Amino acid sequence: MSNTKTIQSALISVFDKTGLDPIVKQLNSQNVIIYSTGGTEDFIKNLGIPVVPVEDVTSYPSILGGRVKTLHPKIFGGILNRQDNPSDVEQMRAYEIPQIDLVIVDLYPFEKTVASGASEADIIEKIDIGGISLIRAAAKNFKDTVIVSSVNEYNYLLDLISTQNGATTLEQRKLLATKAFHVSSHYDSAIFNYFNSDETYYKQSIANGQILRYGENPHQKGYFFGDFDQMFTKVHGKELSYNNLLDVDAAVNLILEFKHNDPTFAILKHNNPCGLATRSTMKQAYLDALAGDPTSAFGGVLIANGTIDTETALEINQLFCEVVIAPSYDEKAVEILQEKKNRIILIQNEVELPQKQVRTCLNGLLIQDKNAVTDNKEGLKTVTTKEPTNQEIEDLLFASKICKNTKSNTIVFAKNGQLIAAGTGQTSRVDALKQAIEKANSFNFNLNGAVMASDAFFPFPDCVEIAHLAGITAVIQPGGSIKDELSIAYCNENNLAMVFTGTRHFKH
């Protein structure tokens, strides 16, 4: 038997009728028998096109408030029969089951109903039974049946039946079946996640996938699954790469810590902040962020917590950077930044970020709650004789926010609302500290009066000693080492202030 099948009959039953009319008209022009139910049946009749009610096939009306309409052997037999199987052919004849070559069906909008805050009773009624059964049946029998399970496939179907005179190939039917199983599995995952309260079960389905140019390196394939357009409005520039997306993610999480601060600007490279400053104007915030490490800023990702104005854009335009992100821009600022054709300009939208973090590990996944703790003044415990000054407290909390968003082991120096230097991703905390001192010195920063933040406790007093000799006057750290008293004693002997937060901020 030929792999090409010509559509002679169709069952159409959809919740969303957008874009359905040209398909119905094309099927009618090809003399296809159309079966339908309820509102879709009325829709087709209003187009002046003949339609056979499903009730005429099953001899049963829609019952139980519409919960049961198509669940009947004469419908599912017409979809599931194997046309090359003599037994199936005989049973179709004996039970007078009509052949159904095409099924167009969608599902009740379960996710939208949940998102709307509807009552549980309304949500339950949006769990589709007949539709999901029709999709699975038609997709299973793709050798003989065409399944269209989403309005997203309407244009593809219309093109097929228009250019191929109602015929489809096995390859085309299998492609539509694959998409149908994607629809059904995504739908079932959404329902499961609505009901599930057992955190040892994990199901995630993301409908939107994007093929990237490559992965972390050119020899690796890369993909992004998510709704990028919900988070950002892309104003200008080339397509974002895998590495761009990682940097953008790090930038968004970092600037979130400063959302309600005065104008704040951050520069990131390889997922780590290399410059950050809070100032009275965005221009000055940018300039002081850039001064933190102008070398690393080359080719970096830039992000602001407020509007990028014309003056700031003029300064940014002198730097080669991959991505610029802000919640808004002056019109002239956009024109200036667009002068570099590949520079990516993004407007960040207000979107709630996931509260779980997921990464591959061994032959499975690691899942954890997002680190949602931001150290604040009320949570600080002064453990030294000397109290930090008000300015030092501001700088300690400023440094802590940066430390939280920097790869471990990390040490961060800050002074007067500016990132002075950071030691990043070192295997030893002492090495991270020495790296930070070296970097600060290389850019001619005076560390006298600066503060230090550590993402984890100091097991020995060597770090506070080295920091003190470099000019540091106040320290913020989680505390919790069995040898905390050694570090506290050194601070007391040398007139340093130190506060504990009680919260570690490892980031790997």
Side-chain angles (χ1 to χ4, degrees):
M1 184 173 289
S2 172
N3 284 334
T4 300
K5 302 282 185 179
T6 299
I7 297 170
Q8 298 179 354
S9 58
L11 170 62
I12 307 175
S13 180
V14 295
F15 186 88
D16 182 358
K17 298 165 187 65
T18 306
L20 183 63
D21 52 329
I23 293 175
V24 173
K25 291 174 181 177
Q26 182 64 30
L27 292 171
N28 181 62
S29 73
Q30 294 171 342
N31 299 315
V32 173
I33 300 170
I34 299 175
Y35 302 96
S36 192
T37 65
T40 309
E41 179 187 340
D42 293 337
F43 175 84
I44 296 170
K45 284 180 179 177
N46 290 335
L47 293 175
I49 292 173
V51 58
V52 179
V54 164
E55 292 92 329
D56 289 358
V57 177
T58 64
S59 300
Y60 271 92
S62 174
I63 61 173
L64 305 181
R67 283 188 165 197
V68 180
K69 289 182 281 191
T70 57
L71 296 168
H72 194 280
K74 283 202 170 183
I75 299 300
F76 281 85
I79 295 169
L80 282 164
N81 74 93
R82 295 157 291 187
Q83 295 179 22
D84 60 353
N85 184 301
S87 176
D88 287 7
V89 172
E90 171 58 26
Q91 288 183 0
M92 290 282 287
R93 183 198 63 76
Y95 296 111
E96 299 180 342
I97 300 172
Q99 179 68 43
I100 298 175
D101 301 314
L102 166 66
V103 175
I104 303 176
V105 62
D106 63 5
L107 300 170
Y108 292 152
F110 179 83
E111 288 177 284
K112 287 183 179 179
T113 305
V114 172
S116 73
S119 67
E120 182 172 277
D122 288 339
I123 291 171
I124 297 302
E125 286 307 309
K126 289 300 184 289
I127 299 177
D128 208 309
I129 303 300
I132 202 80
S133 301
L134 290 168
I135 287 173
R136 289 179 63 83
K140 175 179 179 176
N141 201 33
F142 67 87
K143 284 181 62 179
D144 296 310
T145 309
V146 180
I147 173 63
V148 175
S149 56
S150 166
V151 67
N152 296 330
E153 310 308 325
Y154 282 7
N155 288 336
Y156 178 68
L157 174 68
L158 184 59
D159 180 65
L160 287 184
I161 60 177
S162 300
T163 60
Q164 298 175 186
N165 196 28
T168 61
T169 66
L170 179 63
E171 182 182 20
Q172 291 162 348
R173 294 191 297 276
K174 190 171 185 177
L175 173 63
L176 286 167
T178 302
K179 294 185 176 186
F181 282 124
H182 169 65
V183 168
S184 66
S185 64
H186 179 82
Y187 194 76
D188 284 340
S189 293
I191 295 170
F192 169 80
N193 287 326
Y194 171 74
F195 282 98
N196 181 46
S197 59
D198 186 340
E199 293 187 351
T200 63
Y201 294 147
Y202 179 75
K203 294 186 189 300
Q204 180 71 24
S205 175
I206 301 175
N208 303 312
Q210 176 185 347
I211 299 175
L212 304 175
R213 296 197 304 273
Y214 52 80
E216 200 162 7
N217 299 293
H219 63 276
Q220 296 171 267
K221 292 182 180 180
Y223 310 88
F224 172 70
F225 292 92
D227 192 348
F228 186 84
D229 293 337
Q230 181 190 28
M231 282 205 65
F232 300 100
T233 301
K234 185 181 175 189
V235 178
H236 179 74
K238 63 183 180 181
E239 291 300 313
L240 280 88
S241 69
Y242 182 99
N243 292 326
N244 287 154
L245 289 167
L246 285 176
D247 281 331
V248 168
D249 178 69
V252 166
N253 282 288
L254 173 62
I255 209 68
L256 188 61
E257 306 280 352
F258 300 89
K259 182 176 181 180
H260 301 295
N261 288 55
D262 288 340
T264 301
F265 208 104
I267 304 172
L268 294 91
K269 192 74 172 287
H270 293 293
N271 312 157
N272 291 301
C274 57
L276 195 150
T278 298
R279 293 292 183 260
S280 59
T281 68
M282 195 60 75
K283 174 185 174 181
Q284 197 58 50
Y286 166 71
L287 290 173
D288 288 351
L290 179 63
D293 187 347
T295 302
S296 296
F298 182 85
V301 169
L302 282 56
I303 189 165
N305 72 343
T307 302
I308 292 181
D309 54 26
T310 302
E311 288 188 345
T312 308
L314 285 168
E315 296 294 341
I316 293 172
N317 207 35
Q318 299 177 48
L319 174 73
F320 169 72
C321 57
E322 290 274 336
V323 186
V324 182
I325 310 166
S328 59
Y329 301 80
D330 287 352
E331 185 175 345
K332 182 64 176 175
V334 172
E335 293 177 10
I336 294 167
L337 295 173
Q338 285 178 332
E339 291 177 6
K340 302 293 192 293
K341 69 175 184 178
N342 288 329
R343 179 184 287 149
I344 299 163
I345 305 172
L346 301 175
I347 298 173
Q348 184 179 351
N349 304 320
E350 283 279 350
V351 176
E352 185 177 349
L353 296 173
Q355 296 306 303
K356 297 284 186 184
Q357 293 178 314
V358 183
R359 64 195 298 179
T360 58
C361 181
L362 302 176
N363 61 350
L365 301 174
L366 276 175
I367 302 172
Q368 67 171 353
D369 294 336
K370 185 177 181 179
N371 184 358
V373 175
T374 297
D375 297 326
N376 56 55
K377 187 175 181 179
E378 293 71 28
L380 300 182
K381 178 184 178 183
T382 302
V383 295
T384 51
T385 304
K386 181 184 178 183
E387 296 271 349
T389 66
N390 289 335
Q391 181 59 55
E392 285 174 334
I393 289 174
E394 285 187 24
D395 283 340
L396 288 168
L397 293 173
F398 176 90
S400 175
K401 292 176 180 180
I402 299 171
C403 200
K404 171 185 168 183
N405 288 275
T406 305
K407 296 287 186 183
S408 298
N409 289 313
T410 185
I411 292 290
V412 169
F413 294 154
K415 186 177 181 181
N416 298 325
Q418 181 184 20
L419 171 60
I420 300 299
T424 303
Q426 299 301 303
T427 53
S428 158
R429 195 158 304 281
V430 172
D431 285 345
L433 173 57
K434 290 179 178 178
Q435 182 190 55
I437 293 171
E438 181 183 354
K439 180 162 282 193
N441 291 335
S442 70
F443 294 115
N444 298 316
F445 282 109
N446 182 357
L447 288 176
N448 289 315
V451 305
M452 175 174 74
S454 174
D455 58 340
F457 62 63
F458 299 120
F460 303 102
D462 48 2
C463 282
V464 289
E465 179 180 356
I466 295 169
H468 167 243
L469 294 175
I472 298 299
T473 57
V475 179
I476 186 170
Q477 60 138 317
S481 169
I482 59 173
K483 296 183 179 180
D484 276 342
E485 290 301 323
L486 296 178
S487 294
I488 294 171
Y490 181 90
C491 290
N492 285 334
E493 291 166 7
N494 293 276
N495 201 33
L496 269 71
M498 184 159 64
V499 296
F500 284 1
T501 65
T503 303
R504 190 179 72 186
H505 290 299
F506 271 165
K507 184 173 187 284
H508 295 108

